[in-house]
Amino acid sequence: RGTSGVDFEKTNVFAQGYGLTNSVLGPLRSDIETHNMTYSVFTQWDASLPSDFTLTAGASANFLEYSIIDRMANTGNPTHADGSGRKTFDPVVTPRVALSKLFGPHFSAYASVSQGYSPPTSSDAVIPFTGEPNTGLKPERATQYEIGSKGSFLGERLSYQLSLFDMRVSDKLTPQGVFDTDGTVLYSYTVNAGDQKDR
């Protein structure tokens, strides 16, 4: 038995940035329109095997693109560098494989390996303070290894779930501060910075 499907989402973001000096609102610094499209094709199937084993296998192909329109780039503002453009990320395939085993009607154990990813959001795609496109971003990617067990006792009045996992994230999305000469944070923007392990 299995399932397959398609998921599509489009988000439109309109963001304007103004200068702020000594709590006084200044002139318009940026006027950005961002169109974010994410879509994926996915499938997952379960196969019953001998000795009460079940094999689960699936995958999704994930697509992401941004279209940026810089509304400050017009004939009335000839010195403004046009930040308009399109950013299309390479498709990301995220597989999952799991094997589970029943030990009678009340206990089971499983092991799984799965991959996932987290794309930059539309707010990450533009540096708000400057209004410039943040073109160097890559999606976060993760691989998780997990083993566990589920079951119940005392006529199903007491149940438990136990899992041990090791998740390894690469290209972690992290805020990066931009500092003034006196150490004051002027603004921040999102960068890919290193790896992370969760256990």
CSV table of all heavy atoms in Angstrom, one decimal, residues 105-138:
chain,number,residue,atom,x,y,z
A,105,PRO,N,1.2,-8.5,19.6
A,105,PRO,CA,0.2,-7.4,19.3
A,105,PRO,C,0.5,-6.1,20.0
A,105,PRO,O,0.0,-5.1,19.7
A,105,PRO,CB,-1.1,-8.0,19.8
A,105,PRO,CG,-0.8,-9.0,20.8
A,105,PRO,CD,0.5,-9.6,20.4
A,106,HIS,N,1.5,-6.1,21.0
A,106,HIS,CA,1.7,-5.0,21.8
A,106,HIS,C,3.0,-4.3,21.7
A,106,HIS,O,3.3,-3.3,22.4
A,106,HIS,CB,1.4,-5.3,23.3
A,106,HIS,CG,0.0,-5.8,23.5
A,106,HIS,ND1,-1.2,-5.1,23.3
A,106,HIS,CD2,-0.4,-7.1,23.9
A,106,HIS,CE1,-2.2,-5.8,23.5
A,106,HIS,NE2,-1.8,-7.0,23.9
A,107,PHE,N,4.0,-4.9,21.0
A,107,PHE,CA,5.3,-4.3,21.0
A,107,PHE,C,5.9,-4.3,19.5
A,107,PHE,O,5.6,-5.2,18.7
A,107,PHE,CB,6.3,-5.2,21.8
A,107,PHE,CG,5.9,-5.2,23.3
A,107,PHE,CD1,5.2,-6.3,23.8
A,107,PHE,CD2,6.2,-4.2,24.1
A,107,PHE,CE1,4.8,-6.4,25.1
A,107,PHE,CE2,5.8,-4.2,25.5
A,107,PHE,CZ,5.1,-5.3,25.9
A,108,SER,N,6.6,-3.3,19.2
A,108,SER,CA,7.3,-3.2,17.9
A,108,SER,C,8.6,-2.4,18.1
A,108,SER,O,8.8,-1.7,19.0
A,108,SER,CB,6.4,-2.4,16.9
A,108,SER,OG,6.2,-1.1,17.3
A,109,ALA,N,9.5,-2.7,17.1
A,109,ALA,CA,10.8,-2.0,17.1
A,109,ALA,C,11.0,-1.6,15.6
A,109,ALA,O,10.5,-2.2,14.7
A,109,ALA,CB,11.9,-2.9,17.6
A,110,TYR,N,11.8,-0.5,15.5
A,110,TYR,CA,12.0,0.0,14.1
A,110,TYR,C,13.4,0.7,14.0
A,110,TYR,O,14.0,1.1,15.0
A,110,TYR,CB,10.9,1.1,13.7
A,110,TYR,CG,11.0,2.3,14.5
A,110,TYR,CD1,11.8,3.4,14.1
A,110,TYR,CD2,10.4,2.5,15.7
A,110,TYR,CE1,11.8,4.6,14.8
A,110,TYR,CE2,10.4,3.6,16.5
A,110,TYR,CZ,11.2,4.7,16.0
A,110,TYR,OH,11.3,5.8,16.8
A,111,ALA,N,13.8,0.8,12.8
A,111,ALA,CA,15.1,1.5,12.4
A,111,ALA,C,14.8,2.3,11.1
A,111,ALA,O,14.1,1.8,10.2
A,111,ALA,CB,16.2,0.6,12.2
A,112,SER,N,15.3,3.5,11.1
A,112,SER,CA,15.0,4.3,9.8
A,112,SER,C,16.2,5.3,9.5
A,112,SER,O,16.9,5.7,10.4
A,112,SER,CB,13.7,5.2,10.0
A,112,SER,OG,13.9,6.2,10.9
A,113,VAL,N,16.3,5.6,8.3
A,113,VAL,CA,17.2,6.6,7.8
A,113,VAL,C,16.4,7.5,6.9
A,113,VAL,O,15.7,7.0,6.0
A,113,VAL,CB,18.4,6.0,7.0
A,113,VAL,CG1,19.3,7.0,6.5
A,113,VAL,CG2,19.1,5.0,7.8
A,114,SER,N,16.5,8.8,7.1
A,114,SER,CA,15.7,9.7,6.3
A,114,SER,C,16.5,11.0,6.1
A,114,SER,O,17.4,11.4,6.9
A,114,SER,CB,14.4,10.1,7.0
A,114,SER,OG,14.6,10.6,8.3
A,115,GLN,N,16.1,11.7,5.0
A,115,GLN,CA,16.8,13.0,4.7
A,115,GLN,C,15.7,14.0,4.6
A,115,GLN,O,14.5,13.7,4.2
A,115,GLN,CB,17.6,12.9,3.4
A,115,GLN,CG,18.8,12.2,3.5
A,115,GLN,CD,19.7,12.3,2.3
A,115,GLN,OE1,19.2,12.5,1.2
A,115,GLN,NE2,21.0,12.2,2.5
A,116,GLY,N,16.0,15.3,4.9
A,116,GLY,CA,15.1,16.4,4.8
A,116,GLY,C,15.9,17.6,4.4
A,116,GLY,O,17.1,17.7,4.4
A,117,TYR,N,15.1,18.7,4.1
A,117,TYR,CA,15.7,20.0,3.9
A,117,TYR,C,14.8,21.1,4.3
A,117,TYR,O,13.6,20.9,4.4
A,117,TYR,CB,16.2,20.0,2.4
A,117,TYR,CG,15.1,20.7,1.5
A,117,TYR,CD1,15.5,21.8,0.7
A,117,TYR,CD2,13.9,20.1,1.3
A,117,TYR,CE1,14.6,22.4,-0.1
A,117,TYR,CE2,13.0,20.7,0.4
A,117,TYR,CZ,13.3,21.8,-0.3
A,117,TYR,OH,12.4,22.4,-1.1
A,118,SER,N,15.4,22.2,4.5
A,118,SER,CA,14.7,23.4,4.9
A,118,SER,C,15.1,24.6,4.1
A,118,SER,O,16.3,25.0,4.2
A,118,SER,CB,14.9,23.7,6.4
A,118,SER,OG,14.2,24.9,6.8
A,119,PRO,N,14.3,25.0,3.1
A,119,PRO,CA,14.7,26.1,2.3
A,119,PRO,C,14.7,27.5,2.9
A,119,PRO,O,14.1,27.7,4.0
A,119,PRO,CB,13.7,26.1,1.1
A,119,PRO,CG,12.5,25.6,1.8
A,119,PRO,CD,12.9,24.6,2.8
A,120,PRO,N,15.5,28.4,2.4
A,120,PRO,CA,15.4,29.8,2.9
A,120,PRO,C,14.0,30.3,2.7
A,120,PRO,O,13.3,30.0,1.7
A,120,PRO,CB,16.4,30.6,2.1
A,120,PRO,CG,17.3,29.5,1.5
A,120,PRO,CD,16.5,28.3,1.3
A,121,THR,N,13.5,31.1,3.7
A,121,THR,CA,12.2,31.7,3.6
A,121,THR,C,12.3,32.9,2.7
A,121,THR,O,13.4,33.4,2.4
A,121,THR,CB,11.7,32.1,4.9
A,121,THR,OG1,12.5,33.1,5.5
A,121,THR,CG2,11.6,30.9,5.9
A,122,SER,N,11.1,33.5,2.3
A,122,SER,CA,11.1,34.7,1.5
A,122,SER,C,11.7,35.9,2.2
A,122,SER,O,12.3,36.7,1.6
A,122,SER,CB,9.7,35.0,1.1
A,122,SER,OG,8.8,35.1,2.2
A,123,SER,N,11.6,35.9,3.6
A,123,SER,CA,12.3,37.0,4.3
A,123,SER,C,13.8,36.9,4.3
A,123,SER,O,14.5,37.8,4.5
A,123,SER,CB,11.7,37.1,5.7
A,123,SER,OG,12.0,35.9,6.4
A,124,ASP,N,14.3,35.6,4.2
A,124,ASP,CA,15.8,35.4,4.1
A,124,ASP,C,16.3,35.8,2.7
A,124,ASP,O,17.5,36.1,2.6
A,124,ASP,CB,16.1,34.0,4.3
A,124,ASP,CG,15.8,33.5,5.7
A,124,ASP,OD1,15.8,34.3,6.7
A,124,ASP,OD2,15.4,32.3,5.9
A,125,ALA,N,15.4,35.8,1.7
A,125,ALA,CA,15.9,36.0,0.3
A,125,ALA,C,16.3,37.5,0.0
A,125,ALA,O,17.0,37.7,-1.0
A,125,ALA,CB,14.8,35.6,-0.7
A,126,VAL,N,15.9,38.4,0.9
A,126,VAL,CA,16.3,39.8,0.8
A,126,VAL,C,16.9,40.3,2.1
A,126,VAL,O,16.4,39.9,3.2
A,126,VAL,CB,15.0,40.6,0.4
A,126,VAL,CG1,15.3,42.1,0.4
A,126,VAL,CG2,14.4,40.2,-0.9
A,127,ILE,N,17.9,41.1,2.0
A,127,ILE,CA,18.5,41.7,3.2
A,127,ILE,C,17.7,43.0,3.5
A,127,ILE,O,17.7,43.9,2.8
A,127,ILE,CB,20.0,42.1,3.0
A,127,ILE,CG1,20.8,40.9,2.6
A,127,ILE,CG2,20.6,42.8,4.2
A,127,ILE,CD1,22.2,41.2,2.1
A,128,PRO,N,16.9,42.9,4.6
A,128,PRO,CA,15.9,44.0,4.8
A,128,PRO,C,16.5,45.4,4.9
A,128,PRO,O,15.9,46.3,4.4
A,128,PRO,CB,15.2,43.6,6.1
A,128,PRO,CG,15.5,42.1,6.3
A,128,PRO,CD,16.8,41.9,5.6
A,129,PHE,N,17.6,45.5,5.6
A,129,PHE,CA,18.2,46.9,5.8
A,129,PHE,C,18.6,47.5,4.5
A,129,PHE,O,18.4,48.7,4.3
A,129,PHE,CB,19.4,46.7,6.8
A,129,PHE,CG,19.9,48.1,7.2
A,129,PHE,CD1,19.3,48.8,8.2
A,129,PHE,CD2,21.1,48.6,6.6
A,129,PHE,CE1,19.9,50.0,8.6
A,129,PHE,CE2,21.6,49.8,6.9
A,129,PHE,CZ,21.0,50.5,8.0
A,130,THR,N,19.2,46.8,3.6
A,130,THR,CA,19.7,47.3,2.3
A,130,THR,C,18.8,47.1,1.2
A,130,THR,O,18.9,47.8,0.1
A,130,THR,CB,21.1,46.7,2.0
A,130,THR,OG1,20.9,45.3,1.8
A,130,THR,CG2,22.1,46.9,3.1
A,131,GLY,N,17.8,46.2,1.3
A,131,GLY,CA,17.0,45.9,0.2
A,131,GLY,C,17.6,45.1,-0.9
A,131,GLY,O,17.0,44.9,-2.0
A,132,GLU,N,18.8,44.5,-0.7
A,132,GLU,CA,19.5,43.8,-1.7
A,132,GLU,C,19.1,42.3,-1.6
A,132,GLU,O,18.9,41.8,-0.6
A,132,GLU,CB,21.0,43.9,-1.5
A,132,GLU,CG,21.6,45.3,-1.6
A,132,GLU,CD,23.0,45.3,-1.2
A,132,GLU,OE1,23.4,44.6,-0.2
A,132,GLU,OE2,23.8,46.1,-1.8
A,133,PRO,N,19.0,41.6,-2.8
A,133,PRO,CA,18.8,40.2,-2.8
A,133,PRO,C,19.9,39.4,-2.1
A,133,PRO,O,21.1,39.8,-2.3
A,133,PRO,CB,18.7,39.8,-4.3
A,133,PRO,CG,18.4,41.1,-5.0
A,133,PRO,CD,19.1,42.2,-4.1
A,134,ASN,N,19.6,38.4,-1.3
A,134,ASN,CA,20.5,37.6,-0.6
A,134,ASN,C,20.7,36.3,-1.5
A,134,ASN,O,20.2,35.3,-1.2
A,134,ASN,CB,20.0,37.3,0.8
A,134,ASN,CG,21.1,36.7,1.7
A,134,ASN,OD1,22.2,36.6,1.3
A,134,ASN,ND2,20.7,36.4,2.9
A,135,THR,N,21.6,36.5,-2.5
A,135,THR,CA,21.6,35.5,-3.6
A,135,THR,C,22.5,34.2,-3.2
A,135,THR,O,22.4,33.2,-3.9
A,135,THR,CB,22.1,36.1,-4.9
A,135,THR,OG1,23.4,36.7,-4.6
A,135,THR,CG2,21.2,37.2,-5.4
A,136,GLY,N,23.3,34.3,-2.2
A,136,GLY,CA,24.2,33.2,-1.9
A,136,GLY,C,23.7,32.1,-1.1
A,136,GLY,O,24.4,31.2,-0.8
A,137,LEU,N,22.4,32.1,-0.7
A,137,LEU,CA,21.9,31.1,0.2
A,137,LEU,C,21.6,29.7,-0.4
A,137,LEU,O,21.3,29.6,-1.6
A,137,LEU,CB,20.5,31.6,0.8
A,137,LEU,CG,20.6,32.8,1.8
A,137,LEU,CD1,19.2,33.1,2.2
A,137,LEU,CD2,21.5,32.4,2.9
A,138,LYS,N,21.8,28.7,0.4
A,138,LYS,CA,21.5,27.3,0.0
A,138,LYS,C,20.5,26.8,1.0
A,138,LYS,O,20.5,27.2,2.2
A,138,LYS,CB,22.7,26.4,-0.1
A,138,LYS,CG,23.8,26.9,-1.1
A,138,LYS,CD,25.0,26.0,-1.1
A,138,LYS,CE,25.8,26.2,0.1
A,138,LYS,NZ,27.1,25.4,0.1
